[in-house]
């Protein structure tokens, strides 16, 4: 895959803009890495602000992974927009691990007939981290497909807000779209909020659905693993890693997958 790496240190502002344009029939895999520079000064803030614009021609295919592992004093603002052409396919795999404050927005426009988007985003937060994630998906063409999933795991006093909206316009006959948002709190002081929404102007859909839940680790799963001789801490680790694995396996670079598993 093509690898884009952004490195941010202390007392810095880094502003980026990325264009990814795939013409008809083109195919690519991209891994974006956001990492902290060596020798970070504790307690000193820095800012990362970036936009990504994607345009897919007819029958184009793009796998786009983004791993955000910035420092504990970094403030992050990201906006991504994708215009998806006829029979084109876009696969998002987004991981938010670092940053003191993270605000992210993803806009997908399924303009072409038979276009597809699959978006999986995970959050792993601790201490006082705040993650505010928003996703908008517009179905414009006929027979389009959208599969959107957001998952968050929170420790300590971390907070996450996952907000998603699917819009099915009058022209979007035969739409199949799903939006799921799920949070797992590992501390009594952690807070996760999930707000999925639908706006449907075309009743002739194959599927238009959403779901959400927020809660602690399932005690039944813990009991099952502990009954097989696995200790409580190790059992929690297995459950959390399994909960977040959908993003990890979609990263199109093996060493990035391994690093992400280690970080989690």
């Amino acid at each position: 895959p093509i690898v884009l790496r952004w490195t941010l240190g202390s007392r810095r502002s880094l502003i980026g803009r990325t264009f990814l344009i795939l013409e008809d029939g083109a195919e690519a895999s991209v891994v974006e890495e956001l990492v902290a520079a060596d020798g970070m000064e504790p307690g000193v803030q820095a800012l990362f602000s970036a936009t990504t614009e994607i345009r897919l021609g007819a029958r184009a295919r793009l796998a786009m992974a983004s791993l955000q592992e910035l420092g504990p004093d970094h403030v992050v603002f990201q906006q991504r927009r994708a215009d998806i052409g006829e029979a084109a396919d876009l696969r998002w795999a987004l991981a938010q691990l670092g940053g003191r404050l993270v605000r992210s927005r993803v806009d997908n426009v399924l303009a072409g007939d038979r276009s597809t988007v699959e978006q999986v985003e995970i959050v792993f937060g601790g201490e006082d981290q705040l993650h505010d994630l928003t996703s908008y998906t517009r179905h414009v063409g006929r027979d389009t497909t959208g599969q959107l999933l957001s998952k968050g795991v929170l420790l300590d006093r971390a907070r996450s807000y996952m907000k998603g909206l699917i819009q099915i316009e009058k022209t979007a006959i035969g739409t199949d779209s799903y939006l799921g948002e799920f949070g797992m709190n590992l501390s009594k002081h952690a807070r996760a909020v999930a707000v999925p929404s639908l706006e449907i102007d075309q009743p002739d859909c194959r599927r238009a659905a959403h779901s959400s839940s927020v809660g602690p680790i399932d005690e039944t799963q813990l009991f099952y693993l502990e009954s097989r001789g696995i200790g409580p801490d190790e059992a929690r680790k297995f459950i959390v890693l399994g909960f977040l694995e959908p993003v990890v396996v979609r990263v199109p670079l093996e060493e990035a997958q391994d690093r992400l598993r280690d970080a989690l």
Side-chain angles (χ1 to χ4, degrees):
I2 300 167
V3 178
L4 309 175
R5 176 168 292 171
W6 304 88
T7 303
L8 181 62
S10 301
R11 305 181 190 277
R12 299 284 184 180
S13 294
L14 181 59
I15 299 174
R17 191 174 189 187
T18 303
F19 290 94
L20 297 171
I21 301 173
L22 274 65
E23 297 183 351
D24 295 355
E27 184 173 348
S29 298
V30 178
V31 176
E32 178 186 61
E33 299 179 343
L34 285 65
V35 297
D38 295 333
M40 290 287 299
E41 299 179 56
V44 179
Q45 286 192 347
L47 171 68
F48 178 78
S49 178
T51 60
T52 301
E53 299 180 40
I54 296 174
R55 300 174 189 171
L56 302 184
R59 303 175 307 284
R61 297 174 60 87
L62 174 63
M64 177 69 184
S66 180
L67 312 179
Q68 188 272 111
E69 302 174 81
L70 292 173
D73 298 305
H74 286 153
V75 176
V76 183
F77 296 101
Q78 288 182 280
Q79 182 166 357
R80 304 177 176 94
R81 177 185 169 90
D83 292 289
I84 307 170
E86 181 179 354
D89 184 274
L90 173 60
R91 308 283 168 149
W92 291 105
L94 310 174
Q96 304 281 2
L97 276 68
R100 177 66 176 272
L101 167 64
V102 179
R103 296 200 69 178
S104 170
R105 171 169 168 166
V106 182
D107 289 86
N108 299 301
V109 181
L110 293 129
D113 295 346
R114 303 180 306 283
S115 55
T116 301
V117 63
E118 179 183 282
Q119 177 180 316
V120 183
E121 185 167 19
I122 62 171
V123 170
F124 193 97
E127 299 182 352
D128 293 314
Q129 284 182 287
L130 170 60
H131 292 85
D132 188 342
L133 313 178
T134 303
S135 174
Y136 292 103
T137 299
R138 288 178 55 211
H139 293 265
V140 181
R142 298 172 65 101
D143 298 316
T144 57
T145 302
Q147 294 277 66
L148 299 101
L149 180 64
S150 297
K151 290 187 171 185
V153 176
L154 303 179
L155 290 163
D156 306 320
R157 297 175 301 280
R159 291 170 292 161
S160 72
Y161 299 90
M162 297 177 287
K163 304 173 296 259
L165 173 64
I166 291 175
Q167 294 176 299
I168 302 175
E169 300 193 0
K170 292 181 180 180
T171 56
I173 299 171
T175 293
D176 183 342
S177 194
Y178 169 77
L179 171 63
E181 298 176 345
F182 306 96
M184 180 184 291
N185 294 334
L186 304 183
S187 165
K188 293 182 179 179
H189 302 288
R191 183 185 181 193
V193 177
V195 187
S197 304
L198 298 175
E199 287 186 6
I200 305 173
D201 290 326
Q202 172 52 258
D204 186 4
C205 298
R206 286 177 289 161
R207 180 178 61 158
H210 64 72
S211 61
S212 66
S213 68
V214 174
I217 286 182
D218 189 337
E219 294 295 333
T220 303
Q221 294 179 356
L222 280 176
F223 175 79
Y224 177 84
L225 292 175
E226 290 177 30
S227 69
R228 297 302 187 269
I230 300 174
D233 292 340
E234 197 72 9
R236 289 185 175 87
K237 176 183 176 181
F238 288 153
I239 293 171
V240 169
L241 289 176
F243 185 70
L244 301 177
E245 185 68 13
V247 160
V248 179
V249 297
R250 285 170 171 80
V251 176
L253 185 62
E254 187 173 348
E255 65 181 56
Q257 288 186 10
D258 294 339
R259 193 177 74 253
L260 182 55
R261 288 190 180 98
D262 290 341
L264 294 172

